[in-house]
Amino acid sequence: MKKTIFLVGISLLTILSCANESTLATTATPQLTKPEAVSKFNAAIKKVAMIKDPAPSMPKTSAELSDEKKDMLIPAAKELIASTGVSSAEIERQTNNDREKILKWAVQVYGEYNKKINQNYQSAN
């Protein structure tokens, strides 16, 4: 009987310890502090990645996005750029509404955000 109680006690301590560590790990992750614009752009990227393109008649030589996929990313990309304090008029002026330029700019902002979050996360550990 004593062995059973002892084993149950150790099991409970182990479970509580693991649960505490997982709680700490999830509260310290940078995912919880993402601004809404970054989350929307990330979701748009994931949505576009899930869409399967039909087999092309000619093999592609680059990882270029289709026009439909670019159109899906543009609203989130513009919102992400605007979240840095740039007005929509300035976005239009600098990119001439060229989807390629808008997406490049948004990916740059997204990369800078992720780099900053990773640096903050590493310095906290």
Side-chain angles (χ1 to χ4, degrees), residues 1-124:
M1 181 71 176
K2 289 182 182 181
K3 286 183 183 180
T4 307
I5 293 173
F6 181 71
L7 289 173
V8 169
I10 289 178
S11 299
L12 285 174
L13 286 174
T14 304
I15 290 171
L16 289 174
S17 174
C18 291
N20 191 24
E21 286 178 9
S22 67
T23 302
L24 289 173
T26 54
T27 57
T29 58
Q31 298 291 346
L32 297 176
T33 60
K34 273 188 184 177
E36 186 178 347
V38 173
S39 296
K40 284 183 179 180
F41 189 68
N42 192 18
I45 290 172
K46 288 179 181 177
K47 185 176 178 182
V48 165
M50 297 301 280
I51 297 172
K52 301 258 185 200
D53 286 329
S57 58
M58 301 275 299
K60 282 187 172 181
T61 57
S62 67
E64 199 171 301
L65 292 174
S66 67
D67 289 339
E68 295 81 23
K69 288 183 177 183
K70 289 177 187 176
D71 289 338
M72 291 174 68
L73 288 172
I74 291 297
K78 284 184 176 180
E79 186 175 341
L80 179 62
I81 296 167
S83 73
T84 63
V86 179
S87 68
S88 57
E90 183 67 16
I91 295 170
E92 288 178 20
R93 187 184 69 73
Q94 287 192 11
T95 62
N96 293 328
N97 278 333
D98 181 8
R99 293 182 306 184
E100 297 287 331
K101 290 179 181 177
I102 293 170
L103 291 175
K104 267 187 181 178
W105 192 355
V107 168
Q108 183 181 19
V109 170
Y110 185 71
E112 289 170 1
Y113 169 79
N114 284 329
K115 184 178 178 181
K116 186 171 78 172
I117 289 296
N118 286 337
Q119 287 173 345
N120 290 344
Y121 186 70
Q122 288 175 353
S123 66

